[in-house]
Amino acid sequence: MADTRRRVKLYALNADRQWDDRGTGHVSSSYVERLKGISLLVRAELDGSLLLESKILPDTAYQKQQDTLIVWSEGDNFDLALSFQEKAGCDEIWEKICQVQGKDPSVEITQDIVEESEDERFDDMSDTAPPIELPPCELSRLEEINELIGSCLTSPMRKEKLATALETDGYIKKLLNLFHMCEDLENIEGLHFLYDIFKNIFLLNKNALFEVMFADDTIFDVVGCLEYDPSSAPKRHRHYLRTMSKFKEVIPITNQELLSKIHQTYRVQYIQDVVLPTPSVFEDNMLSTLSSFIFFNKVEIVTLIQDDKLLTDILSLITDDTTPPLKRRDLVLFLKEYCNFSQNLQPQGKETFYKTLSSLGILPALEITLSCEDVITKTASIDILTYFVEFSPSVVREHTLQQTQNSDDELVLLNVIMEQMMCDTDPELGRAVQLMGILRILIDPENMMASINKAEKTDFLNYFYKHSIHILIEPLLQNTMNGIVSRDDYRTVQLLGLILELLSFCVEHHTFHIKNCIINKDLLRCILVLMKSSHTFLVLCALRFMRKIIALKDDFYNRYIIKGNLFAPVIDAFIRNNGRYNLLDSAILEMFEFIKLSSFQEDIKALMSHVVENYGKVLDEVDYVQTFKALRIRYNQHQDKLKDREKAALDSVPSILRSSRLRREPRQLDEEEEMWFNEDEDFDEGEAVVPAATSNIINKKLNHEIDSIGKTLDKKNEGSSGKVFNNTGKAIINNNLNLGTTPLSPVLPSTTLFKKGLVDYEGDSDEEEEESGDLLSPSKRARFS
């Protein structure tokens, strides 16, 4: 019981005068050595962390509201509130606060710090200070009453005593009786006095007075008093509240407490937003209690509806095929307002709230209402879904994956969202923009909680790319068929821009899923067709998509771009722009600048070479920036390095001959193996795993060196008795040939030489020659004399 009694929610008032939830925990009061005094301590319910540690100071004004609230100011302009689950817990802590400050627990406020002179402060805070006596509530005394109430606003203690005086003897109701008399007598001066009186009563910021003024039998009279602002013509607020604003009871509400709270909250919100003057003319802390009153009323409404069977009935009517469209619209608007009120709940309460709605079947209901022809119903449904997805996208993903087993793809919520996005009739695509934001949250891997459901990311993305991505890209493919932009009207290009924004997000945050989609459907080529559009923003969207791909430095993407010659549309757009100093020019230059700066990396060198080799003549003429000149220099440097590498490879060929196998440096081996694996589709089975360019150079070198060796041997043979031919008459090349002091180490002309001995010796038979596949040791080789 102690835990339940002490359970509280901690709130803090922010700069916008709204209450921020700081967490749920349990409150206690104990002596804190560090603070040297009795303090209020709130420890979090979940992890026991300290949410609040506040010393009860003797001059801090604590206020008790609505039996379960304690509100006070912690320092300058920092208001805190404790909302208790039970009245008993609130009373217990209130008694402790009053005990520390030496106050009677029966009061609803302890005391305030008074910003006045020392003498006045002493007089105000003195227990012997007399209470304020209000004049008799008569028409002739209205001016006196107004002056007295206005004078009390300068002192917090006098404000407290004035509030106490107004609470006694039903003084507010007496003032409202005078209001009726003034209206009957058309006493405008008296009505002006009453306006000032009630405006100043609001400035007292006293919850007990609000309870009286906002009762069902008094609130319209209070609004009536505030209609007679002396600085302007009389307003007609009561007429609006009674006739213009009608409460639509979309479904009978039998809970009278809930019904009363709904009416009261709407009227008080209207008073705060419309009737009262703008807050700038008031004090900094003006109407903080009024904001708190509305805030906690909304929390109570959400709780009462959640505990009632009202939601079940509403969702049943929404999904019923016989429900009239106007009736369905009202039900959806009710749900939207209900979700809006739920934003006042703390995170734990919100989680319970959305779980309750999900269990009752709100997502299947939204599948129906999102597809409604009624625009108001559709818009309200999008708002509800936005609330849902922003708080818990995993719930929507889980619902989508469960649907895959029981529904057609067209009926799945995810696909319904995309279909509605594509068919938005609004010229500005307002609803499509909202739906795009929802999709972006749903497909964002960053908010897919692997710790809760390890398969969520894998399963959802697999489903999205298998069953949904085609809906997203269909307008793109249709509009770029045959390499031309079919429709270039404003609405179409706006929609294509939204699609490209989502696809760019996918490229950046997804990996192989979107890569397979782009390459299999040749999607980048279709998107680059849009660079022919007359709308520059769409051209930039297409360019940005390609830029995202290039930024990944992915070899598969790079080969796809090179093989498809996909820089051509970009170069065409660059030429059409004709050097105009605009965003398109800057964006294209930035792309090539990125390629230039990244060209030292192997993944980008291929793109650099492709651009220079295919478009170098055109780009070399661009001289108002140094980008392409520098790109050409980088390309030439890269080519020089390649030649040096090839030369080094050729210089190492003699060692290959001596070892009877092809040896390369480890680094070179890795690069060429990687090239082979990356370009496996370019080689047929059985071909040598050697790059074509390198193979051709080696073959030429081999033929040249063998020809020169043959000529040298012919010259030596003319005056030599050395035996060059064996018994079979076959020519033998000695790889340890001594001609003077320099040995010759020719390269093998073909791989067949690797299969036989390089030298035949006297006595060697043809059979031994055919059976032997290894080289003999150098010590046994014949030498030319």
Side-chain angles (χ1 to χ4, degrees):
M1 286 298 295
D3 288 341
T4 305
R5 188 171 65 250
R6 295 287 186 90
R7 190 167 184 263
V8 295
K9 300 174 186 176
L10 175 64
Y11 295 94
L13 198 65
N14 61 27
D16 297 327
R17 315 307 301 164
Q18 298 294 324
W19 287 102
D20 289 336
D21 173 50
R22 294 299 179 86
T24 301
H26 294 86
V27 64
S28 62
S29 59
S30 59
Y31 183 83
V32 177
E33 180 66 27
R34 183 175 61 84
L35 300 177
K36 304 297 183 184
I38 301 296
S39 304
L40 295 177
L41 306 175
V42 178
R43 295 196 175 276
E45 188 174 52
L46 295 177
D47 56 7
S49 60
L50 195 62
L51 299 178
L52 175 69
E53 188 179 62
S54 174
K55 182 180 178 180
I56 302 174
L57 299 173
D59 54 357
T60 297
Y62 291 86
Q63 187 175 3
K64 186 180 177 185
Q65 301 177 8
Q66 299 182 5
D67 294 332
T68 56
L69 278 175
I70 296 177
V71 183
W72 74 98
S73 294
E74 188 81 13
D76 296 335
N77 297 325
F78 185 59
D79 294 350
L80 295 172
L82 290 177
S83 176
F84 289 78
Q85 180 172 333
E86 296 185 8
K87 180 179 181 297
C90 183
D91 293 340
E92 187 177 336
I93 295 299
W94 181 252
E95 288 177 6
K96 189 66 176 180
I97 293 171
C98 293
Q99 178 185 347
V100 173
Q101 293 193 337
K103 299 295 179 181
D104 184 356
S106 62
V107 301
E108 291 190 356
I109 190 171
T110 56
Q111 59 196 32
D112 289 300
I113 300 175
V114 184
E115 301 295 338
E116 298 179 22
S117 67
E118 292 296 327
D119 293 338
E120 289 174 331
R121 184 180 301 176
F122 178 80
D123 292 339
D124 282 341
M125 295 182 66
S126 172
D127 291 337
T128 60
I132 293 176
E133 294 186 6
L134 292 168
C137 200
E138 300 172 357
L139 281 176
S140 59
R141 310 291 289 271
L142 278 176
E143 183 175 5
E144 181 182 351
I145 295 170
N146 183 33
E147 290 178 355
L148 175 62
I149 292 177
S151 65
C152 292
L153 296 177
T154 58
S155 166
M157 184 55 68
R158 288 174 65 79
K159 283 169 65 177
E160 172 61 27
K161 292 185 178 295
L162 173 62
T164 304
L166 290 171
E167 288 179 51
T168 58
D169 299 330
Y171 202 84
I172 289 179
K173 290 191 175 183
K174 293 178 182 179
L175 287 172
L176 294 176
N177 289 333
L178 291 182
F179 167 71
H180 288 294
M181 294 174 61
C182 288
E183 275 205 319
D184 292 340
L185 298 173
E186 297 184 355
N187 183 351
I188 302 300
E189 183 182 15
L191 292 172
H192 287 168
F193 284 137
L194 284 167
Y195 171 87
D196 289 332
I197 288 170
F198 275 93
K199 186 189 73 173
N200 290 332
I201 290 175
F202 273 93
L203 288 169
L204 293 176
N205 223 9
K206 182 69 174 175
N207 190 72
L209 298 179
F210 291 155
E211 293 282 359
V212 176
M213 291 192 294
F214 298 152
D216 290 341
D217 58 340
T218 57
I219 189 167
F220 279 100
D221 293 337
V222 172
V223 173
C225 291
L226 295 174
E227 289 179 353
Y228 294 94
D229 185 352
S231 63
S232 62
K235 306 296 190 300
R236 302 186 66 191
H237 297 305
R238 285 172 294 175
H239 172 74
Y240 177 83
L241 287 174
R242 284 188 173 128
T243 60
M244 302 298 292
S245 64
K246 296 181 180 179
F247 176 69
K248 288 186 178 180
E249 196 170 2
V250 295
I251 193 168
I253 299 176
T254 56
N255 188 332
Q256 292 303 312
E257 181 185 2
L258 171 61
L259 195 59
S260 176
K261 282 289 179 185
I262 292 174
H263 286 303
Q264 185 188 60
T265 303
Y266 174 78
R267 292 162 184 165
V268 175
Q269 188 82 61
Y270 181 83
I271 290 172
Q272 184 186 45
D273 295 341
V274 180
V275 179
L276 289 173
T278 54
S280 59
V281 301
F282 296 138
E283 301 170 351
D284 289 340
N285 291 329
M286 160 58 189
L287 298 181
S288 61
T289 306
L290 183 60
S291 298
S292 303
F293 187 94
I294 296 171
F295 175 86
F296 291 109
N297 259 22
K298 289 180 177 179
V299 172
E300 191 171 352
I301 289 172
V302 172
T303 305
L304 287 172
I305 292 178
Q306 228 171 324
D307 295 338
D308 200 87
K309 67 181 185 68
L310 195 63
L311 285 176
T312 305
D313 297 339
I314 289 174
L315 291 171
S316 297
L317 284 172
I318 289 176
T319 54
D320 190 349
D321 294 337
T322 61
T323 303
L326 291 179
K327 178 72 171 179
R328 182 177 284 112
R329 175 203 290 181
D330 292 337
L331 292 166
V332 173
L333 289 173
F334 178 90
L335 276 181
K336 175 190 170 182
E337 192 72 12
Y338 180 53
C339 291
N340 185 28
F341 276 24
S342 73
Q343 302 308 300
N344 296 304
L345 297 173
Q346 61 176 333
Q348 186 178 359
K350 275 187 183 180
E351 186 175 357
T352 304
F353 169 80
Y354 286 113
K355 280 185 177 179
T356 301
L357 280 180
S358 180
S359 64
L360 292 175
I362 190 170
L363 294 178
L366 288 177
E367 291 168 10
I368 297 173
T369 56
L370 280 172
S371 304
C372 286
E373 295 182 0
D374 182 64
V375 174
I376 297 176
T377 304
K378 190 191 299 286
T379 304
S381 302
I382 295 173
D383 291 336
I384 295 170
L385 185 59
T386 302
Y387 284 129
F388 226 97
V389 171
E390 286 180 347
F391 181 78
S392 182
S394 292
V395 174
V396 181
R397 294 192 198 104
E398 183 181 356
H399 171 73
T400 300
L401 293 175
Q402 288 176 350
Q403 280 184 295
T404 59
Q405 304 172 359
N406 306 319
S407 304
D408 296 333
D409 286 345
E410 294 181 358
L411 303 177
V412 174
L413 178 59
L414 182 66
N415 294 349
V416 171
I417 292 172
M418 279 187 281
E419 291 284 0
Q420 292 304 310
M421 177 179 165
M422 303 307 160
C423 64
D424 185 9
T425 55
D426 181 9
E428 297 296 328
L429 296 181
R431 292 185 295 275
V433 171
Q434 273 188 284
L435 291 169
M436 190 271 290
I438 292 172
L439 275 176
R440 185 167 180 156
I441 295 174
L442 288 176
I443 64 176
D444 187 358
E446 297 298 324
N447 59 47
M448 296 182 182
M449 298 172 289
S451 58
I452 296 178
N453 183 1
K454 293 182 179 180
E456 180 184 16
K457 179 178 178 180
T458 304
D459 292 348
F460 186 79
L461 290 182
N462 283 342
Y463 178 82
F464 175 71
Y465 280 96
K466 187 175 181 181
H467 299 280
S468 303
I469 192 72
H470 66 279
I471 301 175
L472 185 64
I473 65 176
E474 182 63 24
L476 188 61
L477 299 178
Q478 289 292 332
N479 206 48
T480 57
M481 197 176 296
N482 301 322
I484 60 172
V485 181
S486 301
R487 298 183 60 184
D488 206 31
D489 59 281
Y490 182 72
R491 184 198 168 277
T492 301
V493 297
Q494 281 281 88
L495 177 61
L496 295 178
L498 292 177
I499 295 172
L500 286 177
E501 187 174 342
L502 270 176
L503 291 175
S504 298
F505 178 84
C506 293
V507 166
E508 194 170 4
H509 292 85
H510 301 165
T511 51
F512 60 90
H513 292 96
I514 187 66
K515 185 189 300 182
N516 291 337
C517 178
I518 291 173
I519 294 176
N520 291 338
K521 296 184 180 296
D522 202 9
L523 195 56
L524 180 56
R525 183 185 302 278
C526 298
I527 290 173
L528 291 176
V529 171
L530 299 177
M531 297 197 75
K532 300 177 183 177
S533 172
S534 60
H535 298 268
T536 306
F537 78 90
L538 184 61
V539 176
L540 288 168
C541 286
L543 183 66
R544 184 165 59 248
F545 180 79
M546 186 175 185
R547 176 65 175 81
K548 292 279 188 186
I549 289 177
I550 293 175
L552 296 176
K553 303 176 184 177
D554 185 282
D555 184 58
F556 282 96
Y557 278 134
N558 293 345
R559 284 170 29 189
Y560 166 63
I561 292 171
I562 292 170
K563 188 174 182 179
N565 198 27
L566 297 181
F567 274 107
V570 178
I571 302 297
D572 289 343
F574 186 62
I575 295 172
R576 286 197 305 271
N577 194 55
N578 198 26
R580 285 192 292 272
Y581 186 63
N582 54 19
L583 188 56
L584 177 59
D585 185 74
S586 299
I588 294 175
L589 289 175
E590 190 278 334
M591 176 187 287
F592 288 112
E593 190 71 22
F594 173 80
I595 293 174
K596 182 200 76 176
L597 294 175
S598 305
S599 59
F600 63 89
Q601 301 180 17
E602 292 295 331
D603 295 328
I604 297 295
K605 286 179 180 177
L607 288 184
M608 177 191 67
S609 300
H610 174 73
V611 170
V612 174
E613 290 169 2
N614 290 274
Y615 312 104
K617 291 182 180 180
V618 176
L619 298 177
D620 287 343
E621 297 178 1
V622 179
D623 55 0
Y624 62 91
V625 289
Q626 299 299 310
T627 301
F628 301 111
K629 182 179 179 181
L631 195 63
R632 169 72 72 176
I633 293 172
R634 290 287 178 90
Y635 170 77
N636 292 335
Q637 292 172 348
H638 177 57
Q639 292 302 311
D640 291 341
K641 288 181 181 179
L642 286 179
K643 291 178 181 178
D644 292 342
R645 187 182 302 172
E646 291 169 357
K647 183 178 180 182
L650 294 174
D651 290 341
S652 65
V653 170
S655 62
I656 297 172
L657 182 62
R658 288 191 295 271
S659 61
S660 78
R661 65 179 66 183
L662 185 62
R663 293 189 182 275
R664 287 171 288 182
E665 293 179 3
R667 179 178 173 185
Q668 184 183 358
L669 178 66
D670 293 342
E671 291 175 350
E672 293 180 358
E673 282 186 355
E674 183 178 356
M675 185 185 298
W676 184 82
F677 282 114
N678 288 340
E679 300 182 2
D680 53 354
E681 72 273 12
D682 296 331
F683 300 105
D684 295 328
E685 187 176 353
E687 288 185 339
V689 190
V690 181
T694 305
S695 178
N696 292 334
I697 293 171
I698 292 176
N699 288 334
K700 291 179 181 178
K701 180 85 171 180
L702 291 170
N703 295 332
H704 174 73
E705 289 191 4
I706 290 173
D707 290 341
S708 62
I709 292 172
K711 292 178 182 178
T712 303
L713 292 177
D714 290 339
K715 288 181 180 180
K716 295 295 291 182
N717 290 338
E718 289 177 0
S720 173
S721 59
K723 195 171 186 179
V724 181
F725 297 93
N726 64 357
N727 297 332
T728 61
K730 295 182 180 179
I732 303 300
I733 299 175
N734 191 334
N735 71 334
N736 243 355
L737 199 62
N738 286 331
L739 298 177
T741 57
T742 305
L744 290 177
S745 301
V747 182
L748 292 177
S750 67
T751 56
T752 57
L753 293 179
F754 286 95
K755 300 178 181 179
K756 294 188 177 183
L758 295 181
V759 179
D760 283 344
Y761 297 94
E762 295 182 10
D764 287 348
S765 66
D766 292 343
E767 293 179 0
E768 290 174 341
E769 187 175 281
E770 292 172 358
E771 291 174 358
S772 176
D774 298 324
L775 295 176
L776 299 176
S777 64
S779 60
K780 296 181 179 180
R781 293 172 186 162
R783 296 181 180 272
F784 293 104
S785 56

